[in-house]
Amino acid sequence: MNRAQSVRTRTTSFLFLLLLGACAATAPVPSVDHLPSWNEGPVKQTILGFVGEVTDAGGDNFVPVEERVAVFDNDGTLWSEKPTYFQLLFILDRVRALATDHPEWHSQQPFKAVLESDMKALAEAGEHGLIELAGAAQAGMTTGEFEAIVSAWIASARHPVSGRPYTEMVFQPMLELLDYLRGNGFSVYIVSGGGIEFMRPWTEGVYGVPPQNVIGSSQELRYEQRADGPVILRDPGIHFVNDKAGKPVGIQRFIGRRPLIAVGNSDGDYEMLEWTTTGDGPRLGLIVHHTDAQREWAYDRQSSEGRLHRALDDAPDQGWTVIDMARDWGVVFLPQR
Amino acid sequence: MNRAQSVRTRTTSFLFLLLLGACAATAPVPSVDHLPSWNEGPVKQTILGFVGEVTDAGGDNFVPVEERVAVFDNDGTLWSEKPTYFQLLFILDRVRALATDHPEWHSQQPFKAVLESDMKALAEAGEHGLIELAGAAQAGMTTGEFEAIVSAWIASARHPVSGRPYTEMVFQPMLELLDYLRGNGFSVYIVSGGGIEFMRPWTEGVYGVPPQNVIGSSQELRYEQRADGPVILRDPGIHFVNDKAGKPVGIQRFIGRRPLIAVGNSDGDYEMLEWTTTGDGPRLGLIVHHTDAQREWAYDRQSSEGRLHRALDDAPDQGWTVIDMARDWGVVFLPQR
C-alpha cells in the first residue's frame, strides 16, 4: 500500500467510525425510567400512559405541543404545607423582623400574638388578623425590595420540624414529573393560592418554572415615579385570590388555554381539576393524598391546611387519579445534603 | 483500479462530501437580511446593533436567553388603528348584529347612535357610552362563546378604508422584527390596552404570539357550574385596564421580569417604555411614528387614537429610537393577495 492509499484507508475507517457513531446516536435508546422515585403501579402507569398517548404523533389522542399545558398547585403538591403554609411562616418571621420599627405592635393584636408566639390568640384573630399580618409583612415596598426580602428569607430560613431549608421540602417525585412533562413538550405552570411574588424569586431555581409560568394570588400594584427612576409598589389591597373557583379564572387570565393535566392536593384545587378534566379529548387529573406520617405528614378531611374532603369523595366519579404518597412514592424528599 | 478500490474511492468521496456539507453548515453563512422591509439607516442599525450586543456570548452586554423579553403594543404598533381602534369597530358590528334581539336599542342611546350610524351622537355619549356598548358586545357570554364570536368576526370583517381583512392591516416590518427577535432567543409579548380575549384568538396565527404571551385589558371573569359542565363567564365589570401606568403593572403581573425591549407608538406606551429602558444594562425603546399618509396614516399630537405627544418630546432624552414610518419602512403592508 502506498502512502496515499494508506492515508485514504485510515481516513475511510475514521469516517466510517464517525458515521457509525452518528447511527448509534439515532438508534432507539434502552428504555429509561423518567420517574425513578415513583413506585411501579397503576398511578405511575396512568401518568406514563397518558403522556405516551398525547405525544404519539400517529395516535387518535395526539395533542400538538402548543396545547400541552400542565398546571400544578404548589402548597402540599410540590412542597409540604405542614405545620402550616410556608408563606405564613414567612409572614410571621417578617413581622418579628419588623417589630423593632413598630413598638406599638407589642400591645396590638394580631401582632402581639406573633411577637409572644401566642398561637391561641393568633388563631382567634382569624382570617381578618391574617390579612392584617400579611399586609404588614408583604405590602408597602417595591416589587424589587420584596423580591430581595423573599430571596433572603428562602436562602436562610429553616423548616421548624425538619430543620431543612424550605426549598429542600419539595417532593422529589414531583420534580421528576415536571422534568418528564417538559421533556415531552409540555408547558408547566404553577397555579397556587399562595402569593405570586412570594414564589417567583425561587421557582425557577427549585422547580425550573420561570416567573412568567407562575400564577398566584396577588396584591394591588402601583407604578410610581421616584427621583431615581420608576418603581412598582405593592399596595395593601388584594388584587386577585387564585384559589378554588379563582384557579380556573387565573388559568384563563394567564394562559388562555385549558390545561391537559392538573395536579393538586386539596379541595382548593377542585375547580382547577374540574375545569381541566371536563375539557374535550384526553385530560388527566392527579391528587396528592398525604398518607405518609413517617416520611411527611398524613392528613386529609380534617386538616386546616390542604383540606381534602370533597375532591377525595368525587375523585372516582370525576376520573381523577389519587396518588397515595405512602404507596406510590419510593422517595419523598431527597436525603439531606 | 480494482472493484474494491473503486468502491472505496467512491465511498471516500461521498463521505468527504458529507463532511464538507457538515462543515459548510457550521461555517459562517453569508449575511442574511432578517429585516428586509426596513430601509437601511440608523434605526435599522440600532435594532441590529442592540440584538447583536445582547446575544454576543463573549461581550460585556450579553443577556442570557431567559431574560430576553420584548414587549410590543398592538394598536398602531403591530397593526393600524385608523379610522379608529379595530376593537371599537368590532364592538359596533356586534351591537348591530345583536340589535334584532334588542328592539329597545332603537330608541336608547348610545345604541341608537350606532344603529343609525350617528357619529356625532356616538361621540357625545363619550367614554361612558363606549363602556356601555363594550359591555353589551363583550360581556354576558362564556369565554368559549366570545372566542368563537371574535374568530368569526376576524375571519369575515373588512377594514372600512382598505377593504382588506383586519389581519392584513399588520405591519410587515413588525412581523419581521418579531421573527428576528424570536430567532435570537427573545420571548415576545403583546402588551396592549385592547381586550386580552379580543386578541388571543388570532395573535398566534397572525403574529406567532401564543395566548399566554398576550397581555391586555380584561373583564371580570366568573367560574360557573352548568348542567353540561363548568364554564367561565365574562361579567360586565372591568378587571384591569392595561394602559399607561397599567402597562408596567401588567408586565409585572404576567411576566414578572423587566423587558429588554419595548415597542410602542403612543403616550399610552410611555410608562411601558420608561419602565423598560430605565432598567439596568442594555435596553431598547422603539416608537413607531405614523408619518406616512400615502401608505398608511400620518398623525401624532392631535390624534384621538394613538396620540403621540409627550413620548415624542421626551424620546431624545429618554434615549428612545423613533421609527419614521415613511423613511424607515420600505414596505408597510404586504400587497393584497
Side-chain angles (χ1 to χ4, degrees), chain B residues 139-217:
Chain B
M141 72 284 281
T142 71
T143 52
E145 287 161 357
F146 188 67
E147 184 180 341
I149 291 165
V150 171
S151 297
W153 182 82
I154 205 87
S156 64
R158 293 295 179 272
H159 187 273
V161 177
S162 72
R164 302 180 68 172
Y166 288 100
T167 51
E168 293 183 13
M169 301 297 291
V170 303
F171 304 135
Q172 177 60 20
M174 284 303 185
L175 296 183
E176 293 167 7
L177 181 55
L178 296 175
D179 277 342
Y180 173 61
L181 291 177
R182 283 186 291 244
N184 279 283
F186 277 83
S187 296
V188 170
Y189 288 81
I190 292 173
V191 178
S192 169
I196 191 167
E197 294 191 334
F198 173 73
M199 295 181 280
R200 281 174 163 169
W202 50 269
T203 53
E204 189 153 29
V206 174
Y207 301 135
V209 175
Q212 67 271 25
N213 284 29
V214 178
I215 305 171
S217 298

Side-chain angles (χ1 to χ4, degrees), chain A residues 5 12 15 19 189 197 200 204 212 219 223 225 230 239 252-257 271 274 278, chain B residues 5 12 15 19 189 197 200 204 212 219 223 225 230 239 252-257 271 274 278:
Chain A
Q5 275 179 319
T12 310
L15 291 169
L19 263 196
Y189 288 81
E197 294 192 333
R200 280 173 163 171
E204 190 153 29
Q212 67 270 25
Q219 300 284 127
Y223 188 73
Q225 274 298 347
H239 174 70
Q252 176 65 19
R253 287 203 190 293
F254 277 75
I255 312 177
R257 258 184 181 130
E271 288 83 356
E274 180 183 58
T278 53
Chain B
Q5 277 181 316
T12 310
L15 291 170
L19 262 197
Y189 288 81
E197 294 191 334
R200 281 174 163 169
E204 189 153 29
Q212 67 271 25
Q219 301 283 127
Y223 188 72
Q225 273 299 347
H239 174 70
Q252 177 65 19
R253 284 203 191 297
F254 277 75
I255 313 177
R257 260 187 178 126
E271 288 83 357
E274 180 183 57
T278 53

Side-chain angles (χ1 to χ4, degrees), chain A residues 88-109:
Chain A
L88 176 55
L89 297 172
F90 162 75
I91 290 169
L92 299 181
D93 279 354
R94 186 81 194 132
V95 165
R96 287 185 205 105
L98 290 170
T100 47
D101 298 334
H102 293 274
E104 75 279 12
W105 284 356
H106 287 276
S107 56
Q108 185 187 324
Q109 293 296 13

